[in-house]
Amino acid sequence: MAPADFLALAAVVLVAALTPGPAVTAIAARAITDGLRPAMAINAGVVTGDLLFLLLAAAGMAAAARSMGSFFDVLRIAGAGYLAWQGFALWRARPPAALPATGAHERQFRRNYAAGLLLMFGHVQAMLFYAALLPGFVDLATLTALDLVLLVAMLVVVIGGVNTGYALLASRARGFFRNERAQVTLHRVAGTLMLAAAAVVLSR
């Protein structure tokens, strides 16, 4: 995998990670109610789910790339369309001004970890995101074990790091997650960058 492709892929994953969604909301809510450590356990479960989705998408699509030939161009275009749709959806999104109630306090690592993992298993769009993204930046027909290691490391650093930042922010600045205007602005910036990513995928 070329360094430029790796950096471009990491940038798109960073944009997606920075966009508040179900995982960020759950992590922030736990940080506010129970502190940083339980939130980091949820973060670990979320990152594990992302890694599973990435590896499943990479394995399945690499096999497809070796057997389908030019049909993969259709998948690349479909992936760009999905990213563009995500961009428009982010522009139109109206996030709630308040965090949902988190119920009873839960501080055990394994239960919070399981909650984060189950949250990702119910987030089918995450798998679709990786399936849409990979063909535009990775030559799946020549994907190597080293490439997969680099992708896994990037995902852990980017998604885990961003979620950690949100947990720290939530534990210190509850108001941000209740400020609808701030979140709308963040969604629109992310939507614009997602549209740009779709254009990059189409140009390849």
Side-chain angles (χ1 to χ4, degrees):
M1 182 168 44
D5 292 336
F6 178 80
L7 291 175
L9 179 61
V12 177
V13 171
L14 177 62
V15 171
L18 286 170
T19 307
V24 168
T25 301
I27 291 167
R30 185 64 78 205
I32 288 170
T33 58
D34 296 322
L36 188 60
R37 286 188 179 182
M40 293 305 295
I42 293 181
N43 181 20
V46 167
V47 171
T48 301
D50 270 298
L51 288 175
L52 289 173
F53 287 155
L54 171 71
L55 293 174
L56 285 172
M61 299 184 81
R66 295 186 185 100
S67 61
M68 292 183 181
S70 61
F71 179 70
F72 227 68
D73 288 335
V74 176
L75 295 182
R76 180 175 58 83
I77 294 170
Y82 177 80
L83 294 176
W85 176 78
Q86 286 283 290
F88 284 119
L90 286 168
W91 257 91
R92 299 182 62 185
R94 289 293 183 272
L99 286 169
T102 56
H105 293 250
E106 178 55 69
R107 296 180 182 275
Q108 289 189 12
F109 176 89
R110 58 189 176 86
R111 291 185 178 177
N112 281 302
Y113 176 85
L117 191 58
L118 288 173
L119 174 66
M120 292 306 294
F121 285 164
H123 189 35
V124 180
Q125 282 190 333
M127 180 179 286
L128 294 175
F129 174 76
Y130 291 116
L133 194 63
L134 288 178
F137 294 95
V138 180
D139 184 358
L140 292 161
T142 60
L143 191 68
T144 66
L146 178 59
D147 291 333
L148 279 177
V149 169
L150 289 173
L151 290 173
V152 166
M154 179 270 290
L155 213 63
V156 171
V157 171
V158 173
I159 295 181
V162 168
N163 287 344
T164 298
Y166 272 122
L168 289 168
L169 177 65
S171 65
R172 291 169 172 76
R174 183 185 180 109
F176 172 82
F177 292 94
R178 296 191 179 277
N179 188 324
E180 184 175 2
R181 179 175 294 181
Q183 292 215 42
V184 166
T185 299
L186 186 58
H187 275 75
R188 288 185 174 179
V189 170
T192 300
L193 294 174
M194 202 66 74
L195 289 169
V200 170
V201 170
L202 280 177
S203 69
R204 289 175 176 270

